[in-house]
Amino acid sequence: MSLVGQSALFKLTVRPARAAYLIAEGSRDGFRRAVQEATSRWGGQTEPIVPVLEDGTIAPDHRRVIEVAHVDGLVNVDVPTDHAQSLAESFEMQLTPIDHIDRWGVTRYTSHPADLALPATVDGSNGYVIAAEGAPLWHVAAAGDLRSEAEKGFHDAGTAVRRVRFDHEIGESQLWDHTLLGATTVAMSEEWASPAPLDSPTVLFLVSDSDDFDSCLTFWNLRVLRSVSRGVMPMHLLPVDISHWTAWPHVLTGAFQRPDQFSPDVLIASSSEGEAAINTFAQNMGLQLSEEQQVRSSMTFGKEVPKRSVPFTYLLGLPKHYVDFERRYGLAAFVDVPVVGEKTALRFTSPVPTKLNYGGMSLVSISGGPIDALPKRESVAKLVTDNAKWHDDAIQLAAPLQRDWRLELRIPTPTAAYEAVMRERTASHLLSDKGAIGTGLLDEAATDVLAEQNVFETIRKLTTPRGEDIAKKLQNLFGKDQPLTADQKAFAEEFGGRSERVFKSANRLGYGSFETAQTALERLAGIGWAERGFQTACNECKIKSFAPFSQETARGIAGCPVCGSSTDYTREPDRGLVVHYRLDARVDFANDNGVIAHLMVIGALDRRYTHTLLKPGVDLFFADGMKGEADVIGICDGKLVSGEVKMSGRSFTDTQLSKDMDIAERLRSDIYLMAATSPIEEEAKHRAKARCDELGVELLILERDDLLR
C-alpha cells in the first residue's frame, strides 16, 4: 500500500550524538580529560566513562552502562588503539580518538552548550561553576572541567563560567543546578523510556578523599544513567567529612523539601566508606535512619502534592534499578503534510531552542507516516535521502542545529523499497510459476472472500484432479511399499491432463449443508472465481457436461456438447432445475498448484499489518550460485517477511525447515513465516522457534484458523 498522495504525520526528533569515553584502568588523567570534553558538549553529562582493563576487556557492569546509555560511538582517551578498536567492533560502533572528536566520526554531530538557550544562573552574571585548574578529582566529577581554550570559547560565546575556590561551592552548585556540566543537558529529554522512571529520593554519594577515583567513576556513570526528564532524582557527590561546612545541615534541609511522592528522603552510598562513616555523616546532617527497608515511590494525579518535611530520613545503598531502564533521547516535533514521491518537504520549528538561527550540529530522526512502512535497510534509507541511515527504526540525518528546519525527502513506494532490498540481498529474483499465477488472482476482494468460512474447502471440492493428484491416488491404491514406475507416473500425468473440469451443485458438493455450500459457491461466483451453469446428461453418449450461463447454448434447447444430441438439463428431486458451479480455469489450475493457500496467507497478513506489499511466490538466486524459493515474501510494516506455505502442516520436515531458514538468513529476513491450511505439528514449531532464535528472526505461525477472519 503506497502512501504517496495521502497526508501523513511525521515525527521529527532532534538530539545530539553522544559518546562513551574509553580510559585506561585507574587513569585519573584520562578521567579528567574525558570530563573536560564532556563538559563542552551538548548532552555531555549523559556520556559514560568506561575503564578498559590491561587485557583489553571491560567489566560486565561497564558493558551494561554503554548499552543502557544508548550512545552513538566510542571515543578513545588513553587506551591502546588495538584494545579500543576491538571494543568498538564488539559494540558495532565507530571509534574516534579524543583529539578528533569534533572533526570526524558520528560523535562530532553535537553542539556547543553555549549555542543553546541556556538559562541564567543566580543573578544572571556570576556564571556556571566548574572545577578550579588542578582541582581534586571529585570537584571535576561533580561540576565539570574545561581546558583553557574551551573555557575561552564559552566566554567568547557570551556564557559566563567561573572556577570555584572552596569545596562548599562545589556542593552548593550541585544543589542549585549551577554547574556547567549540568547545563549540558538543557534541551535534552528522553523521547522514550521503558519502564518510565518515577521521582525518587535524593542520592548523596560520598568520597573518602579528594582523589577517590573509584567513587568518582561510579558516581559519574550512575548520574549518566539517571533520567533527565522522566523522573526527578537529584544526585550529588560530596566528601564524607564536611563538618567544616557549617551551614550545610540547613542547606540540605532546603534541598530536601521536595514533593511527597517517595520515601525515604535520601539514599547515601559510597564505594570507599563503610556503614559507620556513612551513618556519622547522616547524623551530622540531621538525618534519621528510615524505618522502611526499601524505597517507596508513587504518583499523585489531580491534586496538589504536599512537600516532605523534617525529620528527613535516609537509607544506605544505590538506586540502581531506578537508572537501569531503556531510553531514547531527543525533543520531538510533528509535521502533517501530503506525501509527494519525488520531493516531500518537512518544515518545522526546532523543538530545541537556540541562541542564533544556526547552532552547531545535531542528529534528526524521522519516523511515522510512510517511514514506518519501509524496511530498515541502508539501501532503503538511501532512497529517502542520500546521507540517511537507520537508527532506532527511524531515518536519521546529520544536520546543522537551526531554529527553522526544512528537510526534503524522497518517499519510495513499497515496490521500490522491496526491489532495493532484493537487489541488496540477491543476485536476481523473479516471480516463480506459482507467483505469476497468484499475482494474476491477487486482489483485496478475493482475499476477503478466502477468509470466510467454508470458501477454501469449497474450492478444493471443485478443483479438478490432475496428474499429481491421480498419482497420489494410485500410490495409495498400490501401497507405499510399491513405488510408482516411470510409466505409471507418465500415465497419471497424461490422463490427468485430459480430465474434464469438475462442476457441482450445492447439493452435491460433498461439504457442509446445502445452505453452507450455496453461500460459499455464490461468494466465489460473486468475485468471478466460479461460473454458474446447468448440467446436461446425454442419453446417447452418456456424458455429463456443463453448460455455463455465459454461453448461447444455455439459453435455448439443451444440447450435448460432446455428440450434439438434444437432451435435458438435469433436475433434482424437490429442487427442480438446479444451478451448478465450476471454478474459473485460472482458479482451478491455481489451487491444483497450491497457490490459493498462498493468497489466503497474504490476506491474513494484510489484515494483521497496516502496510504490506507481498508476493505469492518468488524464485531467488544468490551470488554463490544457490537458488531458493519463497512461497510468500514481502514487507509488513517495515519488516521483511519470507516463508513457506503448505497445504498440510505435516510437510514441515527438517529438510524443509533447513531450506527455509537458509533463505531467511541470506535475506536477513525480520520474520520467518510458517503457514499451512491444516494444523502444524508441535515438534516442527519448536524446531522452527529454536532456529529463529539462533538467527534473531521473529517466527510467525499461521494455521487454518489464523487464515480466517
Side-chain angles (χ1 to χ4, degrees):
M1 173 183 173
S2 175
L3 291 180
V4 174
Q6 302 182 35
S7 182
L9 183 66
F10 292 85
K11 180 180 181 181
L12 301 111
T13 306
V14 182
R15 67 179 182 87
R18 296 165 46 256
Y21 302 93
L22 304 180
I23 65 172
E25 183 183 12
S27 174
R28 287 171 169 76
D29 290 341
F31 182 88
R32 192 181 297 266
R33 177 70 183 90
V35 173
Q36 289 172 339
E37 197 60 51
T39 308
S40 66
R41 290 167 56 86
W42 178 25
Q45 191 173 258
T46 68
E47 297 182 317
I49 300 174
V50 176
V52 180
L53 306 178
E54 288 186 3
D55 63 359
T57 63
I58 60 176
D61 285 351
H62 290 136
R63 178 170 288 274
R64 179 63 180 164
V65 166
I66 292 177
E67 293 169 349
V68 174
H70 203 61
V71 297
D72 298 284
L74 302 183
V75 171
N76 186 15
V77 180
D78 59 357
V79 173
T81 303
D82 57 338
H83 288 170
Q85 187 60 48
S86 178
L87 281 171
E89 291 172 359
S90 73
F91 284 104
E92 297 182 348
M93 290 185 187
Q94 196 174 48
L95 177 71
T96 306
I98 194 165
D99 291 339
H100 300 292
I101 188 173
D102 297 324
R103 298 190 185 95
W104 58 268
V106 67
T107 52
R108 76 182 185 275
Y109 298 123
T110 186
S111 293
H112 196 281
D115 292 335
L116 308 175
L118 296 179
T121 59
V122 191
D123 62 4
S125 63
N126 67 346
Y128 289 95
V129 168
I130 59 173
E133 293 186 16
L137 205 62
W138 83 268
H139 286 203
V140 173
D145 192 13
L146 293 171
R147 293 193 294 174
S148 56
E149 62 270 26
E151 184 178 357
K152 182 177 182 300
F154 273 96
H155 288 294
D156 291 344
T159 299
V161 176
R162 69 180 181 89
R163 294 188 181 272
V164 302
R165 294 177 295 171
F166 306 105
D167 284 0
H168 69 84
E169 292 180 275
I170 294 290
E172 291 170 2
S173 66
Q174 293 178 85
L175 289 181
W176 312 130
D177 292 330
H178 294 162
T179 67
L180 183 61
L181 186 63
T184 66
T185 59
V186 167
M188 272 196 71
S189 175
E190 288 91 7
E191 180 269 327
W192 172 85
S194 180
L198 300 175
D199 289 0
S200 61
T202 299
V203 175
L204 301 181
F205 204 87
L206 307 182
V207 296
S208 58
D209 61 64
S210 57
D211 280 328
D212 184 351
F213 174 83
D214 289 339
S215 292
C216 290
L217 177 68
T218 300
F219 170 79
W220 177 277
N221 286 332
L222 189 68
R223 184 180 56 193
V224 159
L225 298 182
R226 72 170 174 175
S227 171
V228 297
S229 64
R230 299 284 179 133
V232 179
M233 181 193 292
M235 194 173 292
H236 313 305
L237 185 64
L238 300 171
V240 70
D241 181 11
I242 56 174
S243 57
H244 54 293
W245 298 7
T246 55
W248 257 67
H250 176 71
V251 170
L252 279 178
T253 296
F256 292 158
Q257 293 176 359
R258 298 173 53 207
D260 189 9
Q261 293 184 311
F262 51 83
S263 179
D265 299 277
V266 189
L267 292 174
I268 309 178
S270 176
S271 295
S272 54
E273 290 294 338
E275 186 173 323
I278 294 175
N279 286 329
T280 298
F281 171 90
Q283 292 167 9
N284 290 337
M285 293 299 106
L287 302 175
Q288 293 184 8
L289 187 64
S290 175
E291 295 180 357
E292 300 183 60
Q293 299 300 310
Q294 59 185 8
V295 176
R296 172 187 57 80
S297 296
S298 63
M299 297 184 67
T300 304
F301 301 97
K303 62 180 181 180
E304 185 176 350
V305 181
K307 292 188 175 182
R308 298 187 66 81
S309 58
V310 293
F312 295 115
T313 58
Y314 76 96
L315 282 175
L316 277 63
L318 288 176
K320 290 186 177 180
H321 62 286
Y322 276 83
V323 298
D324 190 13
F325 61 91
E326 302 296 323
R327 81 282 309 278
R328 302 290 184 269
Y329 289 103
L331 292 180
F334 294 88
V335 179
D336 193 348
V337 296
V339 176
V340 181
E342 286 298 317
K343 187 182 294 183
T344 298
L346 306 181
R347 296 180 177 88
F348 64 101
T349 300
S350 176
V352 177
T354 59
K355 285 184 178 179
L356 304 174
N357 288 334
Y358 290 90
M361 295 295 292
S362 65
L363 295 175
V364 185
S365 295
I366 308 167
S367 59
I371 301 298
D372 293 346
L374 297 176
K376 309 307 182 279
R377 308 297 175 95
E378 293 307 312
S379 58
V380 178
K382 302 304 180 188
L383 297 178
V384 178
T385 187
D386 295 339
N387 64 339
K389 295 182 179 295
W390 287 105
H391 185 80
D392 294 337
D393 294 336
I395 289 288
Q396 179 172 278
L397 310 173
L401 184 63
Q402 49 199 292
R403 283 183 182 171
D404 297 303
W405 292 76
R406 186 181 188 278
L407 298 175
E408 290 187 354
L409 309 178
R410 302 181 296 265
I411 304 299
T413 63
T415 298
Y418 167 80
E419 290 297 332
V421 174
M422 290 295 102
R423 287 194 300 269
E424 176 187 291
R425 303 307 304 174
T426 69
S428 64
H429 61 283
L430 69 160
L431 285 175
S432 64
D433 292 341
K434 293 182 180 181
I437 297 169
T439 300
L441 295 171
L442 185 59
D443 64 50
E444 187 174 349
T447 54
D448 280 349
V449 170
L450 284 174
E452 296 178 8
Q453 291 282 355
N454 307 310
V455 169
F456 178 61
E457 288 75 12
T458 299
I459 291 175
R460 296 187 68 178
K461 289 293 183 180
L462 287 179
T463 300
T464 304
R466 288 180 171 82
E468 185 176 346
D469 187 67
I470 292 175
K472 288 180 179 178
K473 290 180 178 178
L474 283 174
Q475 185 66 75
N476 291 335
L477 182 64
F478 295 155
K480 293 183 179 180
D481 57 341
Q482 249 186 308
L484 296 183
T485 66
D487 289 342
Q488 289 168 339
K489 291 180 180 178
F491 174 86
E493 187 65 33
E494 178 183 358
F495 286 94
R498 299 182 186 180
S499 299
E500 176 71 20
R501 284 164 56 197
V502 169
F503 58 93
K504 294 182 179 181
S505 67
N507 196 43
R508 298 180 180 275
L509 185 65
Y511 179 81
S513 65
F514 172 85
E515 291 75 14
T516 296
Q518 187 69 32
T519 300
L521 288 165
E522 280 298 312
R523 293 294 285 144
L524 289 171
I527 59 172
W529 276 29
E531 56 184 340
R532 305 177 186 92
F534 292 137
Q535 174 184 276
T536 60
C538 182
N539 295 322
E540 298 295 328
C541 67
K542 308 303 182 183
I543 294 176
K544 294 180 180 180
S545 302
F546 182 76
F549 289 171
S550 59
Q551 293 183 1
E552 290 289 335
T553 55
R555 302 179 186 177
I557 298 173
C560 176
V562 177
C563 66
S565 301
S566 296
T567 185
D568 293 319
Y569 294 122
T570 302
R571 300 171 184 270
E572 293 181 4
D574 302 325
R575 298 190 192 281
L577 196 61
V578 175
V579 176
H580 286 66
Y581 297 81
R582 182 174 69 180
L583 289 179
D584 177 85
R586 297 175 306 155
V587 178
D588 194 357
F589 185 71
N591 191 55
D592 185 60
N593 284 271
V595 175
I596 301 303
H598 297 199
L599 303 185
M600 292 181 69
V601 169
I602 288 176
L605 293 174
D606 285 339
R607 293 187 294 275
R608 184 178 290 251
Y609 297 96
T610 303
H611 305 294
T612 60
L613 180 130
L614 296 158
K615 308 286 185 180
V618 173
D619 287 330
L620 306 164
F621 303 88
F622 298 96
D624 62 358
M626 188 268 187
K627 176 186 174 182
E629 180 184 4
D631 284 347
V632 172
I633 187 171
I635 302 165
C636 294
D637 287 352
K639 294 183 177 182
L640 182 65
V641 178
S642 67
E644 188 74 11
V645 181
K646 295 293 187 184
M647 296 292 284
S648 172
R650 295 182 177 181
S651 299
F652 282 103
T653 62
D654 285 340
T655 301
Q656 183 65 59
L657 286 174
S658 294
K659 290 180 180 179
D660 296 346
M661 291 302 169
D662 182 59
I663 290 174
E665 185 174 12
R666 288 169 177 269
L667 294 174
R668 283 175 41 211
S669 299
D670 301 295
I671 299 174
Y672 165 61
L673 173 68
M674 187 182 195
T677 59
S678 64
I680 300 172
E681 294 178 334
E682 290 300 319
E683 184 180 348
K685 294 179 185 178
H686 293 319
R687 290 198 304 269
K689 182 65 167 65
R691 287 298 309 279
C692 285
D693 289 345
E694 290 175 10
L695 297 178
V697 175
E698 179 184 342
L699 173 63
L700 176 59
I701 297 173
L702 297 179
E703 299 173 273
R704 181 69 184 98
D705 290 344
D706 302 313
L707 304 180
L708 303 179
R709 274 201 299 253

